[in-house]
Amino acid sequence: AEPQLEAEFEAIVGHKDRIEPRDWMPEAYRKTLIRQVAQHAHSEIIGMQPEGNWIGRAPSLRRKAILLAKVQDEAGHGLYLYSAAETLGTSRNELTELLIAGKQKYSSIFNYPTLSYTDVGTIGWLVDGAAICNQVPLCRTSFGPYGRAMIRICKEESFHQRQGFELLMTMMRGTQEQRDMVQESVNRFWWPALMMFGPPDDASPNTEQSMAWGIKTHTNDELRQKFVDMSVPQAEALGVTFPDPELKWNAERGHYDFGTPDWDEFWDVVKGNGPCNAQRLAHRKRAWDEGAWVREAALAFAAKESKENHA
Ligand code: ACO
């Protein structure tokens, strides 16, 4: 029956229809999806840390409420994504254990520090902006639960991007010192934001197969270019520049040309040697260990309830 099932799978993917959890799928497809969705979920959860760093020090009650809501949204995104991964036959506990053991990845961007409150605005604008660029096409990814989770996540990410831009715009209308803070923050985050899209296409081992399966619908370089094209006019509106002397409109291509990210730095961060990797994982592990009693209590309560219901 396998060739028949495989032909059905190929037909669904070929028509850009959805594969659902109960459908037959090649083991390698399942494995790739678990890898990507788990990494994505871990990124949302680890991504709470850099911004969470400023909740207690936000400059006003209004800014604190916004930041708190935003960080809570990221937790929600992590949970939708772990649920999508669970439909592939894995569990959130299992995936979290793999993350903590350093056997699964999360986005490189969250291994950079947030040195000033301004970074909250820059992360919203550039990091969530890059996330949207990458994730809007994923709303049409071939695995149903992943694509449907993306729809809501993208709506919330758009709000996050706007709040970041608005925060920076407010600072740009302030004093020279505030404007300098915005530029300094943008200088630090620009290149790491470009690295979020992954290695260049000729160094991306997964892209070709993931595109053939409809998991990815664009290459890393295509999305990076789209992000640069989208960000330059926004930087002009804000009154900041990007730290790239090669950034220039190319009328022939109809796109901005831009310089090459430091790929040695990227791989170093991916391998665990970025400025904050150790700190981020240690914090995640501490939270996981300290939450063990809550998970145990919830399980014991559920077991008791089901026993009573069956009595
Ligand atoms: N950070 C950490 N690791 C990365 C990154 C990154 N920015 N980009 C690529 N990698 C890793 C890949 O995971 C892969 O390693 P693996 O095979 O051990 O998993 C390796 O580098 C080679 O990369 P690719 O072959 O290009 O991998 P892939 O096809 O999975 O493409 C991409 C990477 C574009 C990140 C893809 O997985 C994706 O679109 N993921 C969903 C989006 C996502 O995870 N966003 C999270 C950050 S944004 C946010 O949540 C706010």
Side-chain angles (χ1 to χ4, degrees), residues 131-166:
I132 295 167
C133 233
N134 164 274
Q135 291 172 21
V136 165
L138 287 174
C139 294
R140 291 189 309 277
T141 194
S142 58
F143 187 59
Y146 187 29
R148 288 188 290 272
M150 276 302 123
I151 294 170
R152 177 158 175 191
I153 291 177
C154 284
K155 287 186 182 161
E156 294 180 349
E157 292 292 3
S158 302
F159 157 69
H160 296 168
Q161 201 224 5
R162 291 299 190 92
Q163 70 82 33
F165 191 82
E166 190 269 347

Side-chain angles (χ1 to χ4, degrees), residues 38-246:
Q39 276 183 19
H40 197 160
H42 298 328
S43 303
E44 302 283 356
I45 298 297
I46 296 274
M48 295 165 73
Q49 294 183 40
E51 290 187 280
N53 181 33
W54 287 93
I55 291 174
R57 294 175 288 166
S60 69
L61 182 61
R62 177 171 167 266
R63 291 293 173 190
K64 183 170 176 161
I66 295 170
L67 181 55
L68 200 56
K70 199 235 150 172
V71 172
Q72 282 178 344
D73 283 351
E74 305 296 355
H77 297 174
L79 298 188
Y80 316 150
L81 286 163
Y82 284 125
S83 297
E86 285 187 334
T87 69
L88 291 158
T90 174
S91 74
R92 184 172 143 204
N93 283 9
E94 208 178 323
L95 297 176
T96 303
E97 300 283 354
L98 286 169
L99 169 71
I100 288 169
K103 291 179 182 156
Q104 281 184 342
K105 298 185 167 77
Y106 59 90
S107 181
S108 50
I109 190 71
F110 301 118
N111 293 305
Y112 292 86
T114 43
L115 303 179
S116 81
Y117 172 75
T118 317
D119 292 352
V120 169
T122 310
I123 288 177
W125 176 38
L126 293 178
V127 174
D128 295 326
I132 295 167
C133 233
N134 164 274
Q135 291 172 21
V136 165
L138 287 174
C139 294
R140 291 189 309 277
T141 194
S142 58
F143 187 59
Y146 187 29
R148 288 188 290 272
M150 276 302 123
I151 294 170
R152 177 158 175 191
I153 291 177
C154 284
K155 287 186 182 161
E156 294 180 349
E157 292 292 3
S158 302
F159 157 69
H160 296 168
Q161 201 224 5
R162 291 299 190 92
Q163 70 82 33
F165 191 82
E166 190 269 347
L167 192 167
L168 297 180
M169 193 55 116
T170 304
M171 289 186 74
M172 291 305 284
R173 287 198 212 99
T175 62
Q176 187 56 43
E177 196 183 350
Q178 286 175 304
R179 280 189 286 277
D180 293 344
M181 283 174 80
V182 175
Q183 184 62 61
E184 188 275 334
S185 174
V186 168
N187 289 348
R188 274 185 291 114
F189 275 95
W190 175 246
W191 291 108
L194 290 190
M195 293 176 194
M196 287 172 68
F197 295 92
D201 293 348
D202 58 18
S204 163
N206 299 301
T207 295
E208 194 181 341
Q209 181 61 73
S210 287
M211 287 189 58
W213 279 330
I215 294 175
K216 286 168 89 165
T217 56
H218 297 273
T219 73
N220 300 354
D221 285 331
E222 282 166 11
L223 294 173
R224 191 168 9 252
Q225 177 74 64
K226 198 167 165 216
F227 176 66
V228 171
D229 291 348
M230 166 183 121
S231 299
V232 173
Q234 293 176 1
E236 282 165 5
L238 203 54
V240 296
T241 57
F242 292 132
D244 178 359
E246 293 175 55

